[in-house]
Amino acid sequence: MTTATGGVRAHARIVARDDGRGGTSLPVLDGDGPLALRRTRGNGAEARVMLVGAMSGPLGGDHFTVEADAESGARLKVGSAAATIALPGQGKSEARYDVRLSVADGGELHWLPEQLISARGSDLHVTTHVDVGATGRLVLREEQVLGRVGEEPGRLGSRIRVRVAGRVVLDQELACGPGAPGGWDGPAGLGGCRAVGQLVVVRPEFGENPVAARVLGENAAVLPLAGPAVLVSAVAADALRLRGLLDEALDALA
């Protein structure tokens, strides 16, 4: 971790590898400052890691980066111990949170952090870049909550980009809160909802048997992507209802 004028710079990295005995080892499990990593009890061949926030943030001017690589034959599940709260800092500069994920051929990664909450006065930009091999498997959940209870949100921008076998299957951006383009909270945007989420599932079998587009209830949609992947987009009044929609969608894809 480094601390410079304008904020904290912190980095965490996970590498999961087939241990040759039917399990998954973690030769690299390294986090600093506010990004602490803890291995927890796995299930069968799967290794599990929890991201533990050791400090508050990200604050204005902070720049956090998290990387996770699932190598061939490895199975990795990553979660977080609590929600991440974007908070205003002493400076006026934007905070950044970058996530870089890779899944090799024959690898599997479940990226399932808790919600990101955009508190009033904060300014955060999140980027998630994912590379998946042709026979890799991915479950990625992203949930964003605009403001704490009874609070207006901060400014939140996010971009998620997913490539499968070198081909871009998803490149999506979202901007919410003060200063975001007009209409983000209108009928064509979030429609007054305060929680928004995405679920991206990549499975080789989707290439031959694509998932059909459909609507789940009133606030979620399943959309096949241009590759062996599917996107679920959902909005809800709060984080609890959003999680229920995304869990329902994941169960339906099983």
Side-chain angles (χ1 to χ4, degrees):
M1 181 186 74
T2 60
T3 302
T5 302
V8 172
R9 305 292 185 267
H11 182 267
R13 186 163 185 244
I14 307 165
V15 175
R17 181 173 297 161
D18 183 350
D19 67 5
R21 302 187 301 275
T24 298
S25 64
L26 298 173
V28 178
L29 188 65
D30 184 31
D32 58 17
L35 300 174
L37 299 172
R38 300 288 183 266
R39 181 166 189 168
T40 61
R41 181 173 296 179
N43 182 17
E46 179 184 80
R48 295 185 179 181
V49 174
M50 294 295 290
L51 182 61
V52 180
M55 296 167 56
S56 62
L59 308 176
D62 290 351
H63 189 173
F64 297 173
T65 303
V66 181
E67 297 179 87
D69 303 323
E71 298 182 355
S72 180
R75 296 180 59 193
L76 174 63
K77 183 175 183 179
V78 182
S80 58
T84 297
I85 304 178
L87 297 165
Q90 292 183 348
K92 299 297 184 181
S93 57
E94 174 188 76
R96 296 189 59 86
Y97 201 126
D98 297 327
V99 177
R100 303 287 182 265
L101 310 176
S102 69
V103 187
D105 285 339
E108 183 171 348
L109 172 61
H110 289 224
W111 182 262
L112 303 170
E114 294 301 309
Q115 298 90 356
L116 169 64
I117 301 173
S118 174
R120 182 178 181 179
S122 64
D123 186 357
L124 175 66
H125 189 76
V126 182
T127 62
T128 303
H129 288 183
V130 190
D131 276 290
V132 185
T135 59
R137 293 175 175 270
L138 171 75
V139 176
L140 182 151
R141 184 182 68 213
E142 183 179 84
E143 299 170 309
Q144 296 155 346
V145 180
L146 305 179
R148 292 169 289 195
V149 176
E151 175 187 69
E152 290 299 309
R155 179 176 170 84
L156 176 63
S158 69
R159 181 180 181 185
I160 180 170
R161 190 171 190 265
V162 180
R163 299 196 307 172
V164 179
R167 179 185 181 188
V168 176
V169 300
L170 177 66
D171 195 339
Q172 175 176 285
E173 291 190 65
L174 176 69
C176 303
W184 68 269
D185 199 24
L190 302 186
C193 292
R194 283 295 178 264
V196 57
Q198 291 74 233
L199 183 71
V200 180
V201 181
V202 178
R203 294 175 184 159
E205 55 266 30
F206 288 166
E208 295 185 1
N209 299 293
V211 175
R214 61 186 184 274
V215 174
L216 296 175
E218 297 182 356
N219 294 325
V222 178
L223 305 169
L225 300 176
V230 63
L231 168 69
V232 178
S233 292
V235 295
D238 55 46
L240 182 61
R241 295 177 190 179
L242 177 66
R243 177 65 60 84
L245 286 170
L246 296 180
D247 285 348
E248 178 186 347
L250 186 58
D251 288 343
L253 292 171

